[in-house]
Amino acid sequence: MTKPVQPTMTAAYYAQCVISFAVAIGSVAIGLIFLPVNPWVRAFLAVAVLYTVTSAFGLAKCVRDRQETANMSSRVDQARLDKLLSEHDPYKVDSI
């Protein structure tokens, strides 16, 4: 049996994700700072953005955990199949 290819994250992709996140949060922060509204509206929007960001992190973790669980059960099933195939001898004659 062939081992499935595990996706790897390159350093460039990781850096791109971190920079993208920092730019997005920075842009929202600058927009909130210079927004011509009352301070309590600005604070409400800041809390809403922080809640959205933490919810996105939570969702990403749930998706990752679900994928890892599915991958783990797939590996267990694959190990069982490999064991059955290794123990199977097609030329063995059952005695009566």
Side-chain angles (χ1 to χ4, degrees), residues 57-75:
F57 278 119
L59 178 62
K61 183 185 178 309
C62 288
V63 169
R64 184 201 63 201
D65 291 347
R66 178 180 256 182
Q67 182 181 6
E68 285 180 355
T69 301
N71 192 14
M72 178 61 77
S73 65
S74 172
R75 283 191 278 166

Side-chain angles (χ1 to χ4, degrees), residues 8-83:
T8 58
M9 184 183 335
T10 63
Y13 178 72
Y14 181 75
Q16 179 184 358
C17 290
V18 170
I19 291 169
S20 174
F21 179 75
V23 167
I25 290 295
S27 299
V28 170
I30 290 171
L32 284 175
I33 290 170
F34 292 110
L35 192 64
V37 294
N38 294 334
W40 68 270
V41 174
R42 190 176 293 131
F44 174 78
L45 291 174
V47 168
V49 168
L50 289 175
Y51 180 65
T52 302
V53 169
T54 57
S55 296
F57 278 119
L59 178 62
K61 183 185 178 309
C62 288
V63 169
R64 184 201 63 201
D65 291 347
R66 178 180 256 182
Q67 182 181 6
E68 285 180 355
T69 301
N71 192 14
M72 178 61 77
S73 65
S74 172
R75 283 191 278 166
V76 168
D77 291 341
Q78 185 65 37
R80 287 181 185 154
L81 179 63
D82 288 345
K83 183 176 185 250

